[in-house]
Amino acid sequence: MTLLPPTAEQQKRINEEVPTDPETRKRDVAAIREWLSKQPHLPDHMGLLFHDSRLERFLFGCKNSIERCKLILERYFSVRTAIPEFFALRDPFAQEIQECYEAIHYFVLPSLTDEGHRVSILRLRNTAIDKFSIQTISRRILMVLDTRLMEERCLSNIMVIDLEGFSLVHFTKCSPTQSIVRKSMLAVQDSMPLRLHRVHFLHAPAFIESILNIFYPLLKDRLIQKFRIHTGGGEELHSYMDKDMLPNEWGGKAGSFDELNDAWQKKIEKNKDWFLREEKLSRTNESARLPESKSRLLMELDGLQGSFRQLNID
């Protein structure tokens, strides 16, 4: 599955949002690398883990803010040590990952929206409750996000969550009262340089507001304002983006759900060696951490209080 680069018009809009001067970017990357070298708790193999192109993608995702980039890099590595349940056993051929691929459609569409946003889709492929694991779904999502960071940078992200087939038991498993859900939100949203532009919920049941009311007290108003609730299916997206970029089942031309899901599974399988190596190297040495570098993420994990307040939004 190839992530198509921006068209000339899309690139123009992206440049207007996040101007990039090659010389400035080069200096900024050097400054970040120098900062990394002075963090004794971060991995020793930074040159192996992060080439300049990868640091550039992190910086771009942070809208060229060096300080924001430092924060996200700190979280990127800290979360791998603090929440190992999402970052261990990252072999794409492992049984859990293969079962998740068969149970959940999760993929990124090839084309950008006209505004330069990248669209990801999450939906059930198998409605069986015993196949629905927040831990494994989060692990696979993070593997896809890491794969994206090897290949591209984008302006921002649109998440489409199709609730067709979700039962009350599925929603219960997603409740923020469960620590695994809060940890998942920290791992997925707080440790990646990927900004969120919009969240679309499709096939929303009549009781969706009751479900979301559980989350609202924990979310910033700016994030809640990004939610769009739809009772219909993919056709609801046609007024928000070019329908041709959508999956075939939703009136588009991007390929079927299964084809897109298969393509992304093959993509992470192709990067098996990287995942196995990264799993061993991308860890912090907490015994070497300087007191002043205590991560806010780690403090949040201590009590799992207010963890949703730091979501990375525009």
Side-chain angles (χ1 to χ4, degrees):
M1 173 60 61
T2 301
L3 292 173
L4 299 176
T7 63
E9 184 61 31
Q10 288 168 343
Q11 189 62 58
K12 180 181 177 182
R13 294 189 181 190
I14 292 171
N15 290 343
E16 290 172 353
E17 180 74 18
V18 186
T20 302
D21 173 69
E23 288 303 315
T24 301
R25 182 174 62 232
K26 185 177 179 180
R27 289 195 300 269
D28 289 347
V29 167
I32 293 169
R33 197 168 287 287
E34 180 181 4
W35 172 81
L36 287 169
S37 71
K38 296 177 180 178
Q39 307 305 308
H41 64 291
L42 294 184
D44 295 329
H45 310 280
M46 198 61 68
L48 186 62
L49 291 168
F50 271 77
H51 299 295
D52 282 356
S53 59
R54 192 168 173 83
L55 281 179
E56 287 177 8
R57 294 186 190 107
F58 263 69
L59 184 61
F60 182 87
C62 297
K63 299 183 75 171
N64 294 338
S65 167
I66 293 177
E67 293 308 310
R68 178 67 181 170
C69 189
K70 290 177 182 177
L71 174 63
I72 296 300
L73 282 167
E74 160 66 35
R75 286 173 172 263
Y76 180 87
F77 292 110
S78 294
V79 77
R80 281 156 167 72
T81 305
I83 319 179
E85 53 264 50
F86 298 133
F87 298 96
L89 303 175
R90 296 185 97 194
D91 183 346
F93 293 96
Q95 182 178 345
E96 285 188 359
I97 299 300
Q98 291 290 323
E99 289 179 351
C100 183
Y101 146 72
E102 293 172 358
I104 301 291
H105 281 136
Y106 178 71
F107 51 81
V108 187
L109 294 178
S111 299
L112 293 164
T113 67
D114 290 342
E115 297 78 18
H117 305 303
R118 188 66 76 184
V119 180
S120 299
I121 294 171
L122 175 68
R123 64 189 307 277
L124 294 179
R125 190 178 190 179
N126 184 334
T127 59
I129 295 298
D130 62 340
K131 301 297 183 182
F132 187 78
S133 165
I134 294 295
Q135 179 171 320
T136 311
I137 292 169
S138 300
R139 187 182 302 161
R140 183 161 177 255
I141 287 174
L142 287 159
M143 292 173 76
V144 169
L145 295 179
D146 265 324
T147 300
R148 284 183 57 189
L149 288 172
M150 298 177 195
E151 300 183 12
E152 70 147 3
R153 58 187 188 185
C154 73
L155 182 60
S156 192
N157 294 268
I158 294 173
M159 186 70 200
V160 179
I161 301 175
D162 186 356
L163 299 175
E164 185 174 26
F166 271 67
S167 68
L168 193 56
V169 179
H170 285 100
F171 285 111
T172 300
K173 281 195 168 188
C174 298
S175 170
T177 59
Q178 308 219 20
S179 64
I180 192 69
V181 175
R182 295 197 180 197
K183 287 181 179 180
S184 174
M185 292 296 288
L186 277 174
V188 174
Q189 293 283 354
D190 263 12
S191 66
M192 291 285 181
L194 299 169
R195 292 178 291 125
L196 185 62
H197 174 70
R198 187 81 69 218
V199 181
H200 292 277
F201 295 94
L202 305 180
H203 292 111
F207 56 83
I208 188 64
E209 283 298 330
S210 297
I211 298 295
L212 291 177
N213 280 339
I214 301 173
F215 286 84
Y216 285 157
L218 303 171
L219 301 174
K220 285 185 176 181
D221 289 341
R222 282 193 299 159
L223 178 60
I224 296 170
Q225 291 168 9
K226 295 176 185 295
F227 290 177
R228 297 294 181 271
I229 312 298
H230 310 283
T231 56
E235 70 280 356
E236 303 270 14
L237 300 174
H238 295 179
S239 60
Y240 293 90
M241 60 192 76
D242 182 356
K243 75 172 185 177
D244 285 350
M245 69 175 290
L246 295 171
N248 300 352
E249 291 89 340
W250 291 347
K253 300 178 180 178
S256 70
F257 292 145
D258 284 349
E259 289 170 342
L260 291 162
N261 197 56
D262 292 350
W264 273 93
Q265 181 62 23
K266 288 182 172 63
K267 187 184 279 286
I268 64 173
E269 288 173 359
K270 183 179 178 181
N271 289 304
K272 173 184 175 179
D273 290 345
W274 185 90
F275 283 113
L276 296 181
R277 181 185 62 184
E278 191 265 353
E279 182 180 326
K280 296 177 181 178
L281 299 180
S282 293
R283 296 289 186 273
T284 56
N285 179 0
E286 292 303 318
S287 64
R289 183 187 289 274
L290 299 173
E292 61 269 22
S293 69
K294 176 70 172 179
S295 170
R296 184 183 299 174
L297 179 144
L298 298 180
M299 290 187 284
E300 289 169 6
L301 280 172
D302 286 342
L304 282 177
Q305 297 297 321
S307 55
F308 288 83
R309 298 248 173 225
Q310 304 303 320
L311 291 180
N312 187 20
I313 58 179
D314 290 346

